Amino acid sequence: MGNSGSTASYNFGFKNTYSKQHCLIPLQDLLKSSAFLVDDSCVFGVEILKIDVSSPEKKAVVVHKKATTVQNIFVQKKGFIKGTYTWTMDNFLELDLKHFVSSPTFEVGGHKWYVGMYPRGNKHSTDCLSLYLYLDASDELHLESKKVVLMTLSILDQKNGKHLTVTSGLLVFTGTHRWGWPDFLGLEKLKDPSGGYVVGSSCVVKADLTIVGSSNDG
């Protein structure tokens, strides 16, 4: 991209079907780049590989390179839709006994969301608190054109101000209704009396959500 006609590239560095945060380009790096972002638009190219593992003789895996598919993702510098929701649980010790608890719904960008928590971990984690952002079941965002969002979930340190904050990479809504981390915070650290994550029976979780744009062409 750019006036010279050359193509800017970025190594996303993942080899699996699921990419974690470190495999994605940071949003601020994207917005500051004159090579990736031109006239407020950005183009992502995806190279698809087909792996043939059906050989009965268990021969070496054969990888066939397919044609590159390009999809335009329009990212506007201005007009981001941002929202913050703070969930204060004054009865956390009571909620801690439950398998799953959720916050009241809140609205960002005309859509309904809620924070979900597994106080003792879910099936993917048994020694950590699991924390997720959910799209409310009554909302139809997942049926629309692919929205691009950035989210941050935090547990506030009520004593020392050293909040635990985890930010996702850019997320594209393609039918999934939940995003988050099964191992958000170890239970031992969560309940450490010297820390400020649980004070008395109070625990405070904050969700910051930015709707960046849409991944639809045109």
Side-chain angles (χ1 to χ4, degrees):
M1 298 175 67
N3 295 331
S4 64
S6 61
T7 301
S9 63
Y10 182 88
N11 181 15
F12 289 86
F14 63 89
K15 300 179 181 179
N16 302 310
T17 58
Y18 174 76
S19 79
K20 296 185 179 179
Q21 177 184 354
H22 66 275
C23 301
L24 300 173
I25 183 170
L27 178 60
Q28 292 305 316
D29 289 354
L30 177 65
L31 295 181
K32 290 186 295 185
S33 170
S34 60
F36 292 120
L37 196 61
V38 178
D39 295 328
D40 279 345
S41 67
C42 183
V43 178
F44 284 76
V46 180
E47 188 173 26
I48 302 173
L49 300 180
K50 177 183 178 182
I51 300 179
D52 183 3
V53 294
S54 61
S55 173
E57 294 84 8
K58 297 183 180 180
K59 295 181 179 179
V61 172
V62 178
V63 178
H64 302 286
K65 184 177 292 187
K66 294 293 185 179
T68 299
T69 300
V70 176
Q71 181 180 29
N72 290 322
I73 298 184
F74 294 94
V75 182
Q76 297 183 10
K77 296 180 181 179
K78 297 180 180 180
F80 284 7
I81 300 174
K82 296 183 179 182
T84 297
Y85 176 77
T86 301
W87 178 24
T88 301
M89 293 162 277
D90 293 323
N91 59 337
F92 180 76
L93 296 183
E94 177 183 335
L95 299 176
D96 184 37
L97 301 175
K98 298 183 180 181
H99 175 64
F100 176 80
V101 292
S102 61
S103 74
T105 59
F106 58 95
E107 186 172 307
V108 175
H111 299 287
K112 296 179 181 178
W113 316 83
Y114 65 90
V115 177
M117 174 189 292
Y118 294 85
R120 291 172 283 117
N122 59 12
K123 64 181 180 179
H124 302 293
S125 174
T126 57
D127 59 350
C128 294
L129 176 143
S130 303
L131 198 62
Y132 297 89
L133 176 71
Y134 288 80
L135 178 68
D136 190 81
S138 65
D139 200 283
E140 296 184 351
L141 174 59
H142 60 292
L143 299 178
E144 296 182 5
S145 59
K146 302 178 181 65
K147 292 290 179 70
V148 181
V149 303
L150 182 72
M151 74 162 182
T152 296
L153 295 179
S154 307
I155 295 184
L156 303 190
D157 181 341
Q158 303 173 66
K159 289 184 177 180
N160 312 301
K162 298 180 179 178
H163 310 316
L164 174 62
T165 298
V166 183
T167 301
S168 72
L170 291 173
L171 304 171
V172 180
F173 284 56
T174 56
T176 304
H177 72 289
R178 182 184 80 170
W179 304 265
W181 297 271
D183 53 353
F184 190 88
L185 177 60
L187 297 181
E188 183 176 349
K189 186 173 182 179
L190 172 69
K191 299 178 181 179
D192 186 344
S194 65
Y197 298 126
V198 178
V199 177
S201 190
S202 173
C203 182
V204 182
V205 171
K206 187 162 75 80
D208 295 285
L209 180 63
T210 301
I211 300 179
V212 176
S214 173
S215 67
N216 258 11
D217 290 342

